[in-house]
Amino acid sequence: RDREPIVAIDGPAGAGKSTVTRLVAEALGFLYLDTGAMYRAIAWLVLEKKIALDDEPAIAECLESTTLTLRRTNSTPPLQVSIDNTDVTQAIRTPQVTANVSAVAKLSAVRQVLLKQQQQWGEKGGIVAEGRDIGTHVFPNAELKIFLTASAQERARRRLQDLAHQGETQIDLEQMEKEIQHRDYIDSTRKIAPLCKAPDAIELVTDGLSIEEVTQAILKLYARHCTTF
Ligand code: CDP
Ligand code: CDP
């Protein structure tokens, strides 16, 4: 092999991708790549500059003069995200960015730029990357592809719990479920690199499974698929 193995983890919002990917990368001593954070950073930029979400030429022009940087940290979160010299690690997690990111992520100008940067991160392998199109477009040759899912209700319940921990109690389960389903709908129906399971991905349905159980299941699959004796 001319590079270390690549693990691709895709799935809809709230399936547990970020949490589990981080733990799997840690266990394997691999790089962790959160591609959603990159799309969130561009959405943040577009909102900050008050560019219309569907003005693709203006967004493309803005991206030409922008530098997006991901840096590994030894703390939580393990990735620091910057746009030019501004640290946006926290700012990309606001409800406003979450509500608008899918509109920006469907633009070809945005996907082209980020795809290149993501593939550069994985050049040498030894990486666990998560997103929506990792197994289908970013790393179609990944040694192990996982499609993580859970019912919309379970995913909404998890997200609501996250928000409650942050002191946010305004949204109810039904509203959260609608928001999640709306974002999944835009992500799965867009023309370029939509959210979908790669034919050779292994689907893991995580309703009722703990983070630890999902992490162990993936590590077991890794041992089976990616190590030669
Ligand atoms: O963590 P959460 O499920 O909220 O979403 P995320 O992984 O941070 O991704 C945010 C958004 O970025 C998604 O809803 C997609 O619109 C977009 N995205 C994408 O289009 N392709 C990827 N590989 C990753 C994210
Ligand atoms: O990245 P993605 O949107 O797929 O999901 P996440 O942000 O990793 O997970 C959403 C929430 O669900 C987090 O608070 C996780 O701790 C939780 N979770 C869980 O309770 N059980 C699992 N099996 C996986 C995640």
Side-chain angles (χ1 to χ4, degrees):
R1 231 193 242 130
D2 56 356
R3 58 158 176 77
E4 293 290 306
I6 294 178
V7 180
I9 302 188
D10 291 300
K17 298 181 301 298
S18 305
T19 317
V20 165
T21 301
R22 210 173 283 177
L23 292 167
V24 169
E26 213 173 85
L28 297 174
F30 280 12
L31 280 175
Y32 160 67
L33 180 62
D34 174 2
T35 62
M38 301 169 85
Y39 287 97
R40 284 174 176 275
I42 305 300
W44 174 87
L45 175 73
V46 169
L47 293 168
E48 183 73 10
K49 300 250 179 200
K50 298 194 164 51
I51 304 173
L53 296 166
D54 58 354
D55 191 346
E56 192 162 4
I59 293 174
E61 196 187 317
C62 175
L63 288 184
E64 273 173 37
S65 57
T66 301
T67 310
L68 166 65
T69 317
L70 295 189
R71 250 184 237 106
R72 303 171 72 178
T73 71
N74 290 319
S75 51
T76 326
L79 279 179
Q80 185 204 46
V81 187
S82 305
I83 289 269
D84 294 326
N85 288 317
T86 309
D87 183 340
V88 296
T89 311
Q90 305 291 329
I92 61 171
R93 303 292 163 190
T94 62
Q96 204 206 357
V97 170
T98 303
N100 292 292
V101 59
S102 291
V104 173
K106 70 179 187 187
L107 303 175
S108 152
V110 173
R111 302 206 72 85
Q112 270 177 28
V113 170
L114 295 189
L115 177 71
K116 229 187 249 166
Q117 205 169 341
Q118 290 156 10
Q119 289 177 334
Q120 273 166 7
W121 263 67
E123 242 165 23
K124 296 185 183 138
I127 186 170
V128 191
E130 56 119 334
R132 302 292 186 287
D133 62 339
I134 309 298
T136 52
H137 288 84
V138 183
F139 299 125
N141 298 323
E143 278 72 12
L144 177 62
K145 299 181 185 179
I146 304 288
F147 196 76
L148 266 196
T149 63
S151 65
Q153 202 185 21
E154 170 69 14
R155 292 185 286 117
R157 199 188 54 75
R158 291 176 184 171
R159 273 303 156 85
L160 219 56
Q161 217 164 36
D162 281 349
L163 286 178
H165 284 306
Q166 295 163 26
E168 169 67 69
T169 51
Q170 296 297 309
I171 306 175
D172 64 28
L173 187 66
E174 207 179 325
Q175 192 186 345
M176 179 59 84
E177 200 175 323
K178 268 192 198 139
E179 279 180 25
I180 278 190
Q181 279 176 324
H182 179 62
R183 186 142 63 97
D184 290 347
Y185 176 77
I186 303 177
D187 289 343
S188 347
T189 55
R190 70 177 172 230
K191 284 209 190 82
I192 312 165
L195 162 67
C196 77
K197 179 186 162 297
D200 53 348
I202 298 165
E203 183 164 348
L204 283 182
V205 183
T206 68
D207 292 73
L209 293 183
S210 70
I211 292 165
E212 184 58 22
E213 285 170 322
V214 178
T215 305
Q216 288 308 322
I218 295 175
L219 288 173
K220 228 183 230 173
L221 288 167
Y222 179 86
R224 203 183 298 158
H225 284 76
C226 304
T227 44
T228 40
F229 297 99

